[in-house]
């Protein structure tokens, strides 16, 4: 059998470049707690992402928990069932009740009309996800949030560097959170950030990620430890140096898939929405009923040939045992999400995935589609 093809592989800069930064860390012995790489990376990312504030964290999950904490929410939070499990868990771990609303069939993001229908006097916020890096309907969500006085937090785990109508996506919402996990288009091994278009939350976020400590003698909040280490921040600098190249290499993979799968009957490829500068983080397809086999059978077929696609984001969060009893989790309330989650398959995409390997994936899908 040929070499396996994973759904993703992290980009790594030349090792010698990283070793040079490690030598600086060895020299000054500042390993964490807001060291020089951490501080300079926050400044570089703020400029790159067009944000007033960037606070680095240990990962995207803690970034989201802290963002939710920083907003002082209560009661109910409207959110999407179609995401990675960290999204709903962060709401729940913030002592809030997730209220699920359905997604749009076009971009798999939370549907603004459904948000508005779900608002009650106990709603305090919207936690939306830019799923696969595709922007939510940010202008509509802002209008709704202003009308009902709600906070908006974007789980932008997938959306590093994405732009909408030539503006940074991080200009929207009260806070956004990003994941810099090894599987993301921009990685610091593990890592994440809380990003804001204003400096309103900066002090609180900084305190929350440092155990709630504001100064040696002042501990005003119940925080956690979510500080990024210097090892991760140093890697972040190198990744940023290469990010535009990484994005272009990913775009080449996206384009080849789009072209070669365009005429495979029963395979639907969602468009990159107009006005979006994508980071090409994921390549989701929908396996429609017209295809010769269903999604699970196609997944198994690819796997048996060493092609490790993924069913991101199956199972649907509203169907997990700890959430399924919530009224809004009923499948009748979430027909689009329940349908998409049975059809979606994310194909391998990463910088350096060869044309030969892309063609291997495409050929096997096409062959399976003809019933062979
Ligand atoms: N919100 C959303 C919407 C998210 O999608 C995520 C994370 C978060 C919040 C939380 O952010 P973090 O706290 O993670 O920063 C992965 C990731 O662990 C997770 O970060 C990500 N979303 C989620 C969508 O996917 P798995 O379980 O699929 O990862 P794994 O280990 O199976 O990796 C997939 C493939 O990637 C492997 O088969 C091979 C390759 N790989 C992976 C790693 C870790 C490598 O080549 N090298 C590696 O180091 O969860």
């Amino acid at each position: 059998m040929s070499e396996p093809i994973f759904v993703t592989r992290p980009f790594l800069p030349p090792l010698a470049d990283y070793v040079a930064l490690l030598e600086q860390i060895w020299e000054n012995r500042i390993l964490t707690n807001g060291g020089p790489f951490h501080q300079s990376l926050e400044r570089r990312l703020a400029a790159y992402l067009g944000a007033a504030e960037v606070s680095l964290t240990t990962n995207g999950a803690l970034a989201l928990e802290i963002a939710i904490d920083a907003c002082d929410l209560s009661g109910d939070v409207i959110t999407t069932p179609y995401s990675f499990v960290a999204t709903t868990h962060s709401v729940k771990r913030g002592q809030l009740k997730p209220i699920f609303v359905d997604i749009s069939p076009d971009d798999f993001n939370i549907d603004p009309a459904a948000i508005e229908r779900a608002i009650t006097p106990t709603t305090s916020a919207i936690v939306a996800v830019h799923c696969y890096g595709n922007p939510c309907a940010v202008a509509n969500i802002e209008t709704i949030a202003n009308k009902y006085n709600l906070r908006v937090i974007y789980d932008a785990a997938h959306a590093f560097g994405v732009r909408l109508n030539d503006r940074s996506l991080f200009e929207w919402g009260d806070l956004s959170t990003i994941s810099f996990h090894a599987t993301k288009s921009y990685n610091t091994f593990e890592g994440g950030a809380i990003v804001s278009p204003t400096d309103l939350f900066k002090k609180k976020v900084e305190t929350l990620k440092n155990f709630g400590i504001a100064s040696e003698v002042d501990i005003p909040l119940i925080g956690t430890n979510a500080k990024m280490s210097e090892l991760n921040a140093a890697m972040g600098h190198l990744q940023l140096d290469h990010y535009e190249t990484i994005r272009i290499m990913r775009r080449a993979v996206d384009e080849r898939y789009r072209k070669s799968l365009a005429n495979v009957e029963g395979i639907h490829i969602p468009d990159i929405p107009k006005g979006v500068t994508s980071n090409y983080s994921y390549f989701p397809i929908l396996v429609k009923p017209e295809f010769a086999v269903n999604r699970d059978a196609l997944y198994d077929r690819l796997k048996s040939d060493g092609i490790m696609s993924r069913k991101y984001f199956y199972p649907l969060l509203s169907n997990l045992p700890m959430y399924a009893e919530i009224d809004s989790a009923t499948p009748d309330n979430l027909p689009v999400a329940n349908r998409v989650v049975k059809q979606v398959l994310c194909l391998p995409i990463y910088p350096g995935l060869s044309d030969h390997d892309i063609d291997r994936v495409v050929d096997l899908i096409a062959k399976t589609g003809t019933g062979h």
Side-chain angles (χ1 to χ4, degrees):
M1 198 165 82
S2 328
E3 284 289 297
I5 306 176
F6 296 104
V7 71
T8 189
R9 295 301 265 170
F11 171 83
L12 287 173
L15 183 57
D17 293 355
Y18 193 49
V19 170
L21 300 190
L22 291 182
E23 279 167 359
Q24 293 182 41
I25 295 173
W26 257 244
E27 184 67 30
N28 68 25
R29 294 189 184 228
I30 301 293
L31 310 185
T32 186
N33 287 5
F37 283 126
H38 182 288
Q39 287 181 29
S40 51
L41 185 60
E42 282 190 345
R43 286 194 297 274
R44 270 187 85 188
L45 286 175
Y48 182 75
L49 298 173
E53 293 297 345
V54 171
S55 292
L56 297 173
T57 58
T58 34
N59 57 54
L62 277 174
L64 190 53
E65 288 191 20
I66 290 173
I68 288 171
D69 213 358
C71 284
D72 267 332
L73 306 177
S74 61
D76 299 346
V77 167
I78 293 178
T79 190
T80 172
Y82 189 79
S83 182
F84 186 61
V85 68
T87 308
T88 318
H89 279 2
S90 301
V91 171
K92 188 71 182 161
R93 287 168 65 81
Q95 314 297 323
L96 300 158
K97 182 176 176 187
I99 303 294
F100 295 111
V101 302
D102 210 359
I103 57 171
S104 146
D106 302 323
D107 58 13
F108 315 136
N109 285 329
I110 193 163
D111 173 1
I115 294 177
E116 191 156 14
R117 285 197 298 274
I119 292 171
T120 70
T122 53
T123 309
S124 62
I126 300 164
V127 171
V129 177
H130 299 303
C131 194
Y132 307 130
N134 283 332
C136 291
V138 285
N140 292 349
I141 290 175
E142 184 172 273
T143 305
I144 294 168
N146 289 342
K147 187 168 160 191
Y148 297 94
N149 196 23
L150 306 176
R151 290 287 187 204
V152 178
I153 298 168
Y154 285 110
D155 178 345
H158 310 160
F160 184 88
V162 171
R163 295 178 70 79
L164 177 61
N165 299 325
D166 219 18
R167 283 175 60 186
S168 168
L169 197 51
F170 297 97
E171 291 179 23
W172 297 91
D174 292 296
L175 291 166
S176 298
T177 60
I178 324 178
S179 166
F180 302 158
H181 184 258
T183 55
K184 299 299 186 293
S185 67
Y186 172 84
N187 88 79
T188 58
F189 297 171
E190 289 270 6
I194 302 161
V195 181
S196 177
T198 75
D199 59 7
L200 212 65
F201 298 93
K202 174 73 176 171
K203 198 157 181 284
K204 198 160 180 199
V205 162
E206 289 299 313
T207 307
L208 283 169
K209 82 175 197 193
N210 186 31
F211 309 97
I213 300 174
S215 75
E216 270 184 60
V217 291
D218 184 20
I219 307 176
L221 297 171
I222 302 172
T224 185
N225 180 1
K227 293 171 273 103
M228 178 181 276
S229 85
E230 287 293 275
L231 293 182
N232 303 99
M235 176 54 65
H237 275 285
L238 297 180
Q239 294 282 347
L240 197 52
D241 294 342
H242 292 276
Y243 192 69
E244 191 51 23
T245 311
I246 296 170
R247 202 182 69 79
I248 289 166
M249 287 167 84
R250 286 178 166 275
R251 183 177 67 195
V253 178
D254 179 288
E255 285 173 357
R256 194 170 181 94
Y257 272 135
R258 265 173 213 284
K259 221 163 118 199
S260 357
L261 286 168
N263 297 321
V264 177
E265 207 195 329
I267 297 294
H268 172 73
I269 306 169
D271 289 333
I272 294 172
K274 229 172 139 253
V276 173
T277 308
S278 179
N279 62 14
Y280 309 97
S281 276
Y282 294 86
F283 196 87
I285 59 169
L286 294 187
V287 183
K288 300 293 231 179
E290 304 83 82
F291 196 70
V293 300
N294 66 20
R295 187 275 310 273
D296 289 342
L298 180 58
Y299 168 89
D300 290 342
R301 180 81 192 269
L302 292 170
K303 195 172 175 182
S304 68
D305 211 53
I307 298 165
M308 308 303 182
S309 65
R310 292 299 283 264
K311 302 173 193 177
Y312 296 135
F313 290 100
Y314 178 88
L316 201 62
L317 301 176
S318 49
N319 294 335
L320 295 180
M322 67 295 262
Y323 301 121
E325 298 305 316
I326 299 173
D327 284 351
S328 60
T330 172
D332 290 347
N333 185 43
L334 309 165
V336 179
N338 275 281
R339 185 178 72 234
V340 168
V341 85
K342 290 191 197 110
Q343 297 181 340
V344 73
L345 205 54
C346 286
L347 302 184
I349 184 165
Y350 52 87
L353 182 63
S354 67
D355 287 352
H356 173 268
D357 281 350
I358 298 168
D359 294 348
R360 225 178 101 195
V361 178
V362 169
D363 291 348
L364 190 55
I365 294 174
K367 198 167 141 197
T368 311
T370 60
H372 293 96

